[in-house]
């Protein structure tokens, strides 16, 4: 098996657009993805993660996941890597989804921890029992040894790492499975520094992929930022790319100006202020940008609040980003419960 590194560093965790009946809408998906295709054509090293957590993978049927992946490969696969989000209710389901993604032509897998009983979700002690996820990864890479894997290492929260897999389990996975070539950094600030530094020292071939955009300025300052997997590209692509480019060019003043004076930090601070509202705010902000037709997610995900829409409208404009006409915003806000 020849190890294949991800050919792009900046991955969009794409939201999933729905039609008026709540079904996956290919026409809207093409429009959203064309926006990222244009950025790729402009020289940015973008990749696409289809069916990530931000895209409501948990609530998409296997048929919908396959339809989205097939379409993304047709629309984007000739210009950027298309990585398939993978999750299942059992290990066998997870392996089956990975095999299906390979057979459809995915360029890699974006692998998430198991879902289901509280033993392996909210009550999982990932420090003592890393095998809960490590064993799943092992079965996936045994079944699909020829695809690179990016890991999405979310766990029950801990003070030292936030919602990211602790250091010991991370190192175990990276030592056992060379197919893992990217690690999404879902950590709090201290956990990011600890895990990111260990990856750099011990597994430099693995990409440290920033996730929480509100910390990108600090992540870049620490030189622990090989790239990203983030849903924030859905609503703030242009200033995020400018900010990363400024850091990579050594233009600290330019990066600081974009981050602070340009309003990017303030926008991210609101989006990331509540973990229980993160993906709702991703999608609402993407709708406000005019890139999709509705901010609504699939139930049981809640609807956005009127105050969230209003705050995001102000912050997007403050970051120099265009928003849809106020009359269109008001028409949706008036239908929200509160």
């Amino acid at each position: 098996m020849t190890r294949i590194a991800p050919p792009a560093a900046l991955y969009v965790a794409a939201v999933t657009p729905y039609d008026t009946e709540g079904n996956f809408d290919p026409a809207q998906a093409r429009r959203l993805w064309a926006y990222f295709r244009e950025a790729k054509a402009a020289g940015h090293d973008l990749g696409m993660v289809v069916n990530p957590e931000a895209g409501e993978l948990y609530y998409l049927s296997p048929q919908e996941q396959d339809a989205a992946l097939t379409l993304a490969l047709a629309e984007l696969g000739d210009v950027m890597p298309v990585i398939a989000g993978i999750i299942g209710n059992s290990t066998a389901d997870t392996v089956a989804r990975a095999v299906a993604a390979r057979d459809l032509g995915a360029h890699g897998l974006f692998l998430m921890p198991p879902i289901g009983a509280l033993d392996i979700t909210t009550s999982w002690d990932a420090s003592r029992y890393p095998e809960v996820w490590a064993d799943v990864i092992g079965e996936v890479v045994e079944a699909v040894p020829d695809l690179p894997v990016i890991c999405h290492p979310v766990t029950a929260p801990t003070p030292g790492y936030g919602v990211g897999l602790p250091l010991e389990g991370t190192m175990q996975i990276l030592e056992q499975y060379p197919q893992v070539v990217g690690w999404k950094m879902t950590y709090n600030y201290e956990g990011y520094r600890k895990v990111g530094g260990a990856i750099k020292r011990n597994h430099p071939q693995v990409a440290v992929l920033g996730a929480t955009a509100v910390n990108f300025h600090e992540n870049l300052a620490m030189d622990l930022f090989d790239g990203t997997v983030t849903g924030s590209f859905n609503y703030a692509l242009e200033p995020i790319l400018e900010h990363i480019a400024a850091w990579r060019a050594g233009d600290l003043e330019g990066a600081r100006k974009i981050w602070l004076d340009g309003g990017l930090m303030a926008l991210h601070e609101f989006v990331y202020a509540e973990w229980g509202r993160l993906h709702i705010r991703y999608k609402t902000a993407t709708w406000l940008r005019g890139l999709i037709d509705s901010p609504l997610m699939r139930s049981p995900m809640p609807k956005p609040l009127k105050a969230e829409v209003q705050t995001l409208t102000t912050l997007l404009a403050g970051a120099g980003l265009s928003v849809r006409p106020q009359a269109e915003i008001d028409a949706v806000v008036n239908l929200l419960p509160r």
Side-chain angles (χ1 to χ4, degrees), residues 36-320:
F36 299 114
R37 186 182 177 103
E38 290 175 7
K40 176 69 174 182
H44 299 289
D45 56 342
L46 290 180
M48 178 65 63
V49 177
V50 179
N51 304 323
E53 184 175 13
E56 303 170 69
L57 171 63
Y58 303 106
Y59 308 118
L60 300 176
S61 70
Q63 294 75 23
E64 289 174 312
Q65 294 173 41
D66 289 349
L69 176 58
T70 300
L71 184 63
L73 287 164
E75 296 291 316
L76 302 172
D78 61 329
V79 296
M80 67 174 73
V82 176
I83 310 298
I86 302 295
I87 202 166
N89 286 318
S90 68
T91 299
D93 289 341
T94 306
V95 171
R97 295 309 308 147
V99 170
R102 179 202 61 194
D103 292 347
L104 289 172
H107 301 144
L109 306 176
F110 183 60
L111 193 59
M112 291 176 237
I115 56 176
L118 60 84
D119 311 56
I120 60 170
T121 56
T122 59
S123 298
W124 175 29
D125 185 340
S127 293
R128 296 180 64 191
Y129 309 109
E131 67 274 10
V132 166
W133 191 29
D135 289 352
V136 177
I137 296 173
E139 294 203 31
V140 168
V141 299
E142 181 179 1
V144 187
D146 52 336
L147 286 184
V149 172
I150 296 173
C151 282
H152 180 60
V154 290
T155 69
T158 61
Y161 297 96
V163 295
L165 186 73
L167 178 62
E168 295 79 6
T170 299
M171 292 297 103
Q172 175 184 323
I173 288 169
L174 296 182
E175 288 161 9
Q176 284 185 299
Y177 306 119
Q179 292 94 333
V180 177
V181 298
W183 199 261
K184 182 176 178 180
M185 301 297 289
T186 57
Y187 301 90
N188 61 19
Y189 179 80
E190 291 298 329
Y192 191 115
R193 184 168 61 183
K194 183 181 294 185
V195 174
I199 291 173
K200 285 287 192 182
R201 291 189 299 273
N202 300 296
H203 300 281
Q205 77 283 0
V206 176
V208 174
L209 301 173
T212 309
V214 71
N215 292 330
F216 279 3
H217 197 67
E218 292 81 2
N219 301 154
L220 284 154
M222 291 188 295
D223 195 24
L224 291 176
F225 188 96
D226 296 322
T228 66
V229 178
T230 182
S232 291
F233 278 139
N234 290 283
Y235 63 84
L237 177 69
E238 299 87 351
I240 294 175
L241 290 176
E242 291 172 6
H243 178 249
I244 294 170
W247 265 110
R248 288 177 168 174
D251 181 8
L252 176 58
E253 179 59 26
R256 189 205 61 80
K257 185 175 181 180
I258 296 165
W259 190 249
L260 294 173
D261 302 341
L264 188 57
M265 183 180 75
L267 173 60
H268 288 327
E269 283 182 337
F270 178 73
V271 171
Y272 288 87
E274 299 178 74
W275 285 115
R277 306 297 294 184
L278 175 64
H279 297 102
I280 299 163
R281 293 176 182 180
Y282 278 168
K283 196 166 190 180
T284 300
T286 308
W287 165 72
L288 284 168
R289 291 295 317 278
L291 295 168
I292 56 176
D293 293 345
S294 171
L296 301 183
M297 304 184 80
R298 185 165 285 178
S299 179
M301 292 296 290
K303 295 178 180 179
L305 304 179
K306 293 178 180 179
E308 287 176 309
V309 175
Q310 292 163 353
T311 300
L312 284 168
T313 301
T314 300
L315 290 171
L316 286 165

